[in-house]
Amino acid sequence: MSGKEHFDLIVRNASIIDGTRAPRYRGDIGVCSGKITQIGALDKATADTDVDASGLIAAPGFIDAHTHDDRLLLSAPDMTPKVSQGVTTVVTGNCGISLAHLPAPQHGAITPPLDLLDGDGGWFKFPSFRAYRETLEAQPAAINAACLVGHTTFRVATMDRLDRAATPAEIAKMRGMAHESLAAGAIGVSTGTAYPAAAMAPTGELIEVSRPLTEFNGLYVTHMRNEDDYVTESIEETCLIGRTLKVPVVISHHKTVGTRNHGRSVETLKLIEQRMHEQPVGLDCYPYIASSTVLRYDRIEQSSRIIITWSKPHPEFSGVDLDEVARRLQLSRAEAVEKIKPAGAIYFMLDEQDVQRILAFEETMIGSDGLPHDAKPHPRLWGTFPRVLGHYSRELQLFPLETAVYKMTGLTAKKFGLRGRGVLQEGAHADITIFDADTVLDAADFQHSTRPATGIATVIVNGAIVWRDGKPTGARPGRVLQRSA
Ligand code: ZN
Ligand code: CU
C-alpha cells in the first residue's frame, strides 16, 4: 500500500460483515465516487471524510424487501423510519398497489387497499411508471428504491367495477401498463388477490396482465390469494404463474394465519423448498406475530386482539383496541367496524413459533411491510431490522449475526437482481450501515409505535452519509435501481 492514497470517505477500524454470510473480519473501507474501491488496512491513506467504526459492525446497507414507501420517498425524502434502522434501499409497490399507473388524482372514496398509500387520492397523479420515476429522480430521496407496479392499481385505472374478472380488452390494456412500466425500469409486477379489489381476478388474468415480465425477466411478487386455510394452494398458484411466465416469484410476508393454521409453516416451508428445486422462488417475512392492513370484518374472528391504526371518519380511535371502540360506541364489533371504516388495523393472528421458523428458513428475506401513512402504525415500520438483529439474533440466538445481515442484504440483492448492492466488496456501491452489535434493538412497540431503534450509528448511501448522531443529515443520494437478471 502506498502512503499517498486518498479517498472520498474511509470507514476505519470496522468489524466487517460483508453480506455473504462469511464470518466478520477487521478492516477499513475506502470509498470513491459512490463506490467501495478498497477494503483492507488503510491507516496510511487519507480521506475527505473519516468515519470511525471502532467497536462497531460495518455491514452492507439493509434492503427492505417489502415496503409501501412509494409516496414516502416523495413526501418525506429523509426516509427517517427506514434510515434510522439502517435501511438504504426499499422495494416499493407491493401487495398489488403502486402509486403509478393511475392517470389522474382519485376523488371520493379511495378503493382499499389503495388507501394505504393515500387516503385522499391526491398522490395518485402518475399516469405512467415513467412519470413516477422521473419525479423521484428529479427530487431524490435519502435512499434507493427498486419499484414494482401493482395489478390492483391497474385494475382501478382500467375497470368500471372490481367484483369481476377483467375482460380480454381490459387485460390487454393492463398488459400495456405492465409493459410500459417494465420498459421504464420497474423491476416487476405485484399482485394482491387477498383483497376484494383483486380477489375476482382468476389465475389467467394474473398471468396475462403479467405476461411482459417474460420479455423483461421481471419479478412476479405477490400478497397471495390466501394465507390461512388455503395457503398451500396459494403457494401452488404463485409457483404456477412463475413457471408459466418463466420468471422468478417472491411470496410476500409469508405467514400462516389463524389459530387452526398455526404450525403449518412446517408444511408451507417444505413445499416452498421443493418448488425452489424446480424454479426461482423467494419469500420475505416481518418479525412480529401481528399483521396490519385495512380494517376488514373477515379478519376479526382470526385475531385474538385488534388495534385500530387509522380511521377516516373517527381519527380519535387511532391506537385504540377494537373492543374498546365497540364499548365506547355501544355497538357490536361488527357494527363498530362498519361505523369507523375506511380504517386500518393491527391483527394479532400469527404464532410465534411460525414466525421464528419462517425467519430462520435459509431463503427468507427480511421485509418490513411498514405502513408509513397510518396515524398509529404497526411498529414494524420503525423496528423490523433492528428487531431481527437485536431480538431474534442476539437475544434469542435464532441465527448468527452474519446470517441476520445476509437476510437483509446479500440474499435480498440476489433475489431482486440488484447488482452491486447488498455486499461489502471492492467495486460494490457504497451503501454501508454501521451499528453496534451489543445494543442494536427495536424500540417501537404497539404503544410507542414510532420510537426510533437504538444502535444504528451511521448510514451511508452511494458514498454519502445520510444518518449520523441519531438524525438524518439531509443528504439525498438515493437512486432508482434497475434489476439486472
Ligand atoms: Zn400484503
Ligand atoms: Cu404489503
Side-chain angles (χ1 to χ4, degrees):
M1 149 121 3
S2 79
K4 298 186 194 87
E5 269 159 308
H6 188 81
F7 294 85
D8 294 346
L9 181 149
I10 297 178
V11 177
R12 296 188 187 274
N13 307 311
S15 186
I16 298 173
I17 293 183
D18 70 2
T20 68
R21 258 184 309 188
R24 68 196 79 176
Y25 64 97
R26 285 296 295 272
D28 307 321
I29 304 167
V31 173
C32 271
S33 306
K35 291 203 166 178
I36 296 170
T37 50
Q38 205 169 340
I39 299 181
L42 303 177
D43 41 317
K44 300 250 165 45
T46 54
D48 295 347
T49 306
D50 284 290
V51 178
D52 180 21
S54 306
L56 303 174
I57 304 285
F62 308 147
I63 302 169
D64 191 342
H66 186 109
T67 85
H68 296 285
D69 292 341
D70 305 39
R71 170 182 156 199
L72 195 71
L73 287 160
L74 297 170
S75 64
D78 282 335
M79 295 295 290
T80 305
K82 297 300 168 72
V83 175
S84 61
Q85 298 182 59
V87 170
T88 56
T89 296
V90 290
V91 178
T92 65
N94 280 282
C95 297
I97 55 172
S98 54
L99 277 191
H101 199 298
L102 264 182
Q106 303 292 295
H107 300 293
I110 308 303
T111 310
L114 260 57
D115 50 0
L116 295 177
L117 292 178
D118 179 14
D120 296 317
W123 282 93
F124 292 103
K125 58 181 178 188
F126 303 103
S128 64
F129 179 73
R130 178 173 302 281
Y132 174 77
R133 180 192 166 148
E134 284 174 356
T135 304
L136 183 53
E137 285 177 337
Q139 40 180 104
I143 66 178
N144 307 308
C147 309
L148 302 163
V149 283
H151 163 252
T152 300
T153 297
F154 293 169
R155 286 194 125 223
V156 170
T158 305
M159 298 171 68
D160 59 340
R161 47 189 292 190
L162 302 169
D163 57 348
R164 60 172 174 81
T167 64
E170 289 162 343
I171 288 175
K173 207 170 159 198
M174 292 193 274
R175 189 193 302 126
M177 293 175 172
H179 191 279
E180 182 279 332
S181 301
L182 294 163
I187 63 163
V189 171
S190 78
T191 62
T193 40
Y195 294 99
M200 294 309 288
T203 309
E205 177 183 322
L206 305 178
I207 290 172
E208 290 312 320
V209 171
S210 305
R211 184 70 67 186
L213 289 175
T214 309
E215 181 187 335
F216 292 94
N217 193 25
L219 293 160
Y220 178 82
V221 181
T222 182
H223 178 161
M224 298 191 300
R225 206 176 281 284
N226 186 284
E227 297 176 307
D228 48 73
D229 297 355
Y230 298 97
V231 60
T232 55
E233 287 83 348
S234 293
I235 293 169
E236 292 290 25
E237 183 192 32
T238 302
C239 292
L240 172 70
I241 293 169
R243 286 197 304 275
T244 307
L245 296 174
K246 300 188 174 62
V247 296
V249 299
V250 175
I251 295 167
S252 294
H253 44 57
H254 183 47
K255 50 174 134 29
T256 55
V257 169
T259 324
R260 64 176 175 265
N261 297 302
H262 288 178
R264 287 190 67 199
S265 58
V266 174
E267 183 191 344
T268 60
L269 291 175
K270 211 170 137 202
L271 175 59
I272 290 169
E273 197 175 359
Q274 251 170 31
R275 292 290 165 267
M276 279 174 169
H277 292 303
E278 298 151 12
Q279 64 184 108
V281 182
L283 72 160
D284 60 74
C285 179
Y286 50 75
Y288 297 88
I289 57 160
S291 68
S292 183
T293 184
V294 286
L295 182 61
R296 285 172 61 176
Y297 186 69
D298 60 354
R299 287 281 172 269
I300 288 181
E301 63 162 23
Q302 293 171 320
S303 306
S304 58
R305 180 186 173 197
I306 293 166
I307 308 171
I308 304 304
T309 51
W310 58 276
S311 162
K312 208 156 185 200
H314 288 278
E316 71 275 17
F317 290 137
S318 300
V320 181
D321 273 46
L322 178 62
D323 284 342
E324 175 66 16
V325 172
R327 203 187 58 75
R328 283 194 218 165
L329 294 173
Q330 297 185 296
L331 295 171
S332 72
R333 297 213 298 181
E335 291 163 342
V337 166
E338 286 315 310
K339 178 102 180 150
I340 68 171
K341 278 203 307 193
I346 291 166
Y347 306 90
F348 288 79
M349 55 184 193
L350 308 176
D351 173 55
E352 178 65 28
Q353 292 315 308
D354 283 320
V355 171
Q356 292 191 20
R357 193 177 293 118
I358 294 168
L359 282 175
F361 181 65
E362 242 191 88
E363 303 272 339
T364 302
M365 304 176 273
I366 307 303
S368 70
D369 201 8
L371 299 172
H373 312 297
D374 287 11
K376 185 90 179 180
H378 187 302
R380 68 194 183 188
L381 174 65
W382 287 80
T384 290
F385 292 83
R387 183 169 172 80
V388 170
L389 299 169
H391 179 60
Y392 284 105
S393 176
R394 184 182 64 237
E395 292 176 354
L396 300 188
Q397 306 203 333
L398 194 57
F399 32 65
L401 190 59
E402 282 80 353
T403 301
V405 167
Y406 172 68
K407 287 173 169 292
M408 45 186 82
T409 59
L411 175 65
T412 318
K414 192 165 65 184
K415 292 277 183 190
F416 281 89
L418 306 176
R419 190 182 289 160
R421 310 277 168 184
V423 286
L424 290 187
Q425 283 166 358
E426 291 174 7
H429 296 280
D431 294 346
I432 306 170
T433 289
I434 298 163
F435 65 95
D436 186 337
D438 298 328
T439 62
V440 66
L441 194 63
D442 56 309
D445 59 25
F446 292 94
Q447 232 77 59
H448 314 90
S449 62
T450 61
R451 225 162 31 188
T454 55
I456 305 292
T458 307
V459 182
I460 298 167
V461 176
N462 295 315
I465 298 175
V466 297
W467 180 265
R468 187 173 43 198
D469 305 326
K471 51 182 187 296
T473 61
R476 303 279 164 76
R479 294 184 199 151
V480 179
L481 304 185
Q482 305 267 12
R483 171 175 156 78
S484 41

